[in-house]
Amino acid sequence: MKRTSQTPRLTARGAATRTRIVEAAANLMYIRGVNATTLDDVRAASGTSKSQLYHHFADKDALVRAVVGLWARRVLDREEQHLERLNSFSGLQRWRSVLVQLNSVQNGRYGCALGSMANEVADHDEEARAIVAAGFARWQQLIANGLRRMQENGKLKPDADADHLAIGLIAALQGGYLLTQTTRDMKPMEVALDMALSHIKAHLVE
């Protein structure tokens, strides 16, 4: 009989077990990758039995979707703290420095959690791809909204396309993450972000 993907109604204990499974899987999949992480790995890391895991997740795909959702929330919670009140170019520079510093702590290893998830699931699971896409759309919107506030306070030219500038900045960031992950050198991430910020700077009101 095919299992359903519906999440059962949970007791407090059941919810805690499910959370423990998802968090253990999220950490393993970020470090090892989705494909290299088995359900047995997750069971061992979360201290749960096979029956407990399958009570909450019909299969690995269902677990991966929960992991993608968790990483999207983690990334967006962090980004909202830095971008929700963004209204200046110096604010963008501070945001850039925070991301570089956070990535330098692990010497570029593992890259962006959301970008890494996208790379592994986008062509294999439409539901997981949609979760990642929504996460990136929200991230881009946070930047674009900050740029619009800069237009409202007279710091960014009114004819600057906030949405296009936000797309370019996100693309530069993700490319920087990937190259830094490959080279174990922070320079690609720094250069990519600085070039994208220079393009935005060209649209500032003098």
Side-chain angles (χ1 to χ4, degrees):
M1 180 181 296
K2 184 177 180 181
R3 298 175 184 271
T4 67
S5 59
Q6 290 183 334
T7 301
R9 297 179 66 179
L10 301 177
T11 62
R13 184 175 180 180
T17 299
R18 186 181 191 278
T19 297
R20 191 166 74 250
I21 292 170
V22 176
E23 289 182 346
N27 294 333
L28 287 173
M29 290 178 183
Y30 177 49
I31 294 171
R32 298 183 183 180
V34 172
N35 293 329
T37 301
T38 68
L39 293 180
D40 284 340
D41 294 331
V42 175
R43 287 197 301 106
S46 61
T48 52
S49 66
K50 189 172 183 178
S51 62
Q52 284 177 307
L53 192 149
Y54 279 106
H55 175 71
H56 294 284
F57 300 99
D59 50 30
K60 185 177 178 180
D61 286 344
L63 177 57
V64 169
R65 290 173 199 135
V67 166
V68 171
L70 175 60
W71 272 118
R73 290 192 297 276
R74 285 178 175 178
V75 170
L76 290 173
D77 284 348
R78 180 197 71 204
E79 292 304 291
E80 286 173 353
Q81 291 181 27
H82 293 286
L83 295 171
E84 271 195 328
R85 297 181 180 179
L86 174 70
N87 63 4
S88 68
F89 188 72
S90 61
L92 278 174
Q93 291 174 311
R94 287 192 296 272
W95 168 79
R96 170 264 191 215
S97 296
V98 168
L99 289 181
V100 170
Q101 179 60 36
L102 287 173
N103 203 28
S104 69
V105 170
Q106 52 197 19
N107 200 29
R109 288 181 174 84
Y110 319 125
C112 170
L114 197 56
S116 296
M117 291 289 118
N119 186 52
E120 294 214 58
V121 306
D123 293 330
H124 307 289
D125 187 318
E126 179 59 23
E127 187 174 337
R129 183 205 63 76
I131 296 170
V132 175
F136 275 121
R138 174 57 180 159
W139 198 347
Q140 175 192 322
Q141 182 183 50
L142 287 168
I143 296 172
N145 287 346
L147 295 174
R148 291 189 182 95
R149 284 190 289 273
M150 290 170 62
Q151 288 176 318
E152 291 168 1
N153 63 27
K155 296 175 182 177
L156 186 70
K157 294 177 181 178
D159 61 350
D161 192 318
D163 290 316
H164 283 187
L165 292 173
I167 290 171
L169 187 51
I170 285 288
L173 172 62
Q174 291 304 312
Y177 268 123
L178 179 60
L179 291 175
T180 291
Q181 181 182 4
T182 304
T183 62
R184 297 290 191 269
D185 181 356
M186 295 307 301
K187 183 61 67 176
M189 184 177 185
E190 294 172 345
V191 169
L193 284 171
D194 288 344
M195 289 184 71
L197 289 179
S198 291
H199 184 60
I200 293 174
K201 188 176 182 180
H203 292 275
L204 295 180
V205 175
E206 296 181 1

